[in-house]
Amino acid sequence: MQVRYNYRLYPTGGQRQALARAFGCARVVYNDGLRARQEAHAAGLPYVTDVELSARLTKAKTTLERAWLGGVSSVVLQQALADLNAAYRNFFASIRGERRGPKIGPPRFRSRKDRRQAIRFTANARFKILPGGKLRLPKIGDVPVRWSRPLPCRPSSVTVIQDSTGRYFASFVVESQVGELPRTEPVTGIDLGLKHFAVLSDGTKVSSPRFLRRAEKNLKRRQRDLSRKRKGSRNRDKARLKVARAHARVADARRNFHHQLSTTLIRENQAVAVEDLAVRGLARTRLAKSIHDAGWSGFVGMLEYKALLYGRTFIRIGRFEPTSRTCSACGTKDGPKPLHVREWMCPACGARLDRDINAAVNVARAAGLAVTACGAQVRPGVPPPAQRSETGTHPKSRRWSA
Ligand SMILES: [Zn+2]
């Protein structure tokens, strides 16, 4: 499977100009292609194929109007078209209902004001990591890189990104060997919550680490500062940049935390189960912002790919399982439990239940994992958890999986 490795880039002044030109050219090629397809569609003509778009690009480069495209690696331009084609394929798949997750709209025009600018070089662009550690990009130059961790093998492509705060990154795609970890016994259900980031079926409660809370606090302060600045003033512009930087720092801190936690969970467990988050269903509720802020879907995505990478089992259970109101001791379903109810007593068996741990145990059970209500001891004599391919036939997961 393919994994990404990201590193900070420190281009020189001249390289930054060359990158800005390349971002601009990629954008123009993307937008030209999009316009061609939109115009054909409006005129009732057939869909302009990928091959046709590519041919039109080659021809455009010979015209006076678009001759300047020749100043940029042609691979970058072809990759801009590839992005457009992928955007169309995803859009069509979404219309046909073949895609998981929320519906996606048709491709949109790219703007130089977009928060993220990106270009991609594939292997045939002959980008190269030099012995001294710089990254050689055709028609850009030898760009300094901060190698924060080793790149495991030769990358098949690199995307150069400029984010909203003006930082540059290189994102390498690497074909990763599935390195299975030695088999281990524990299995864990995970309840993602608002009070704690995650609660595990063995009773562990995981809160956001201090570095993330500090970054979030700083962001709030910056936002407050911004709201006090007069509209149109220069100080407001400065404050806005500070907010953007603080946002980026929160996003980085959160991603680091998610990486640390997901790696630990996958390492220590043979199988993990989470509830499929009702992100779409909650999109219009007050909870939506918290869900967005906590970045749960990003975290769940990491669990899923790391499980695949290390030979673990990842199970997503249906989002209508009543995990918070079923007693994990006797299985009795009780009435609804509003968010402020942190503890409740089962009317049938009298067990005192911690809302979140109880939910985590139920998540594990619904996924077919054998966990006990107190502690994640796997009961002896229980068959190993179902393999990935089998989980789809599990009645509880099939019912709700989209
Ligand atoms: Zn009970």
Side-chain angles (χ1 to χ4, degrees), residues 48-299:
V48 183
T49 63
D50 299 0
V51 175
E52 169 64 18
L53 270 195
S54 175
R56 287 190 196 185
L57 168 61
T58 310
K59 216 167 118 200
K61 283 206 265 184
T62 64
T63 66
L64 214 53
E65 258 191 309
R66 291 279 185 260
W68 44 273
L69 290 177
V72 171
S73 163
S74 58
V75 170
V76 164
L77 306 182
Q78 288 297 341
Q79 289 300 309
L81 284 185
D83 286 349
L84 177 67
N85 299 335
Y88 265 102
R89 272 197 301 278
N90 289 338
F91 169 54
F92 293 144
S94 184
I95 292 177
R96 290 192 301 261
E98 292 166 6
R99 259 177 73 92
R100 269 185 79 100
K103 283 259 176 269
I104 56 169
R108 274 188 297 215
F109 287 101
R110 287 184 175 174
S111 154
R112 52 190 284 269
K113 288 183 183 157
D114 289 346
R115 291 173 60 82
R116 181 182 180 277
Q117 303 287 337
I119 47 171
R120 190 166 56 246
F121 298 87
T122 55
N124 49 7
R126 292 182 217 288
F127 72 87
K128 200 168 165 189
I129 297 159
L130 302 174
K134 286 185 178 173
L135 172 64
R136 176 165 291 172
L137 297 173
K139 303 208 176 174
I140 304 287
D142 298 346
V143 185
V145 185
R146 191 162 66 86
W147 297 101
S148 42
R149 56 175 173 158
L151 195 60
C153 61
R154 261 178 91 92
S156 58
S157 80
V158 59
T159 303
V160 178
I161 299 154
Q162 186 185 18
D163 74 4
S164 57
T165 65
R167 298 180 303 177
Y168 295 86
F169 296 91
S171 177
F172 294 95
V173 172
V174 170
E175 199 57 51
S176 173
Q177 263 60 35
V178 177
E180 292 213 357
L181 286 168
R183 241 195 112 73
T184 180
E185 282 306 305
V187 294
T188 295
I190 306 166
D191 179 59
L192 297 170
L194 294 175
K195 192 154 182 295
H196 298 275
F197 176 78
V199 174
L200 313 183
S201 52
D202 69 354
T204 310
K205 296 185 174 183
V206 186
S207 300
S208 318
R210 189 172 308 163
F211 65 85
L212 175 53
R213 291 202 305 269
R214 209 163 41 214
E216 285 170 339
K217 229 178 184 169
N218 178 51
L219 172 60
K220 275 202 189 109
R221 198 173 62 237
R222 299 293 184 206
Q223 281 170 330
R224 226 170 22 238
D225 289 350
L226 173 62
S227 67
R228 289 201 195 106
K229 299 282 186 278
R230 203 160 40 80
K231 284 210 172 104
S233 70
R234 184 177 300 186
N235 278 336
R236 194 182 166 86
D237 286 342
K238 274 192 214 155
R240 194 179 297 123
L241 188 62
K242 281 187 181 157
V243 167
R245 286 212 185 104
H247 257 299
R249 238 171 268 136
V250 167
D252 290 352
R254 185 173 293 135
R255 199 174 316 115
N256 285 341
F257 164 50
H258 290 170
H259 267 303
Q260 287 168 8
L261 183 59
S262 55
T263 299
T264 307
L265 286 169
I266 292 299
R267 230 168 238 297
E268 293 177 355
N269 291 284
Q270 188 58 37
V272 295
V274 292
E275 204 164 3
D276 197 2
L277 300 161
V279 176
R280 228 189 317 167
L282 289 169
R284 277 171 301 275
T285 70
R286 248 179 342 126
L287 277 181
K289 194 174 159 8
S290 314
I291 288 164
H292 188 69
D293 285 355
W296 285 337
S297 56
F299 172 71

Side-chain angles (χ1 to χ4, degrees), residues 15-34:
Q15 291 168 351
R16 263 178 279 171
Q17 280 178 15
L19 281 169
R21 254 196 317 275
F23 290 139
C25 290
R27 221 161 43 222
V28 165
V29 166
Y30 185 96
N31 289 344
D32 281 353
L34 177 52

Side-chain angles (χ1 to χ4, degrees), residues 300-321:
V300 172
M302 286 180 191
L303 280 179
E304 189 167 17
Y305 87 72
K306 286 178 187 178
L308 198 63
L309 206 55
Y310 297 116
R312 302 303 206 208
T313 304
F314 169 86
I315 307 156
R316 212 188 277 263
I317 68 148
R319 53 197 160 110
F320 297 114
E321 299 287 344

Side-chain angles (χ1 to χ4, degrees), residues 327 330 346 349:
C327 168
C330 71
C346 171
C349 74

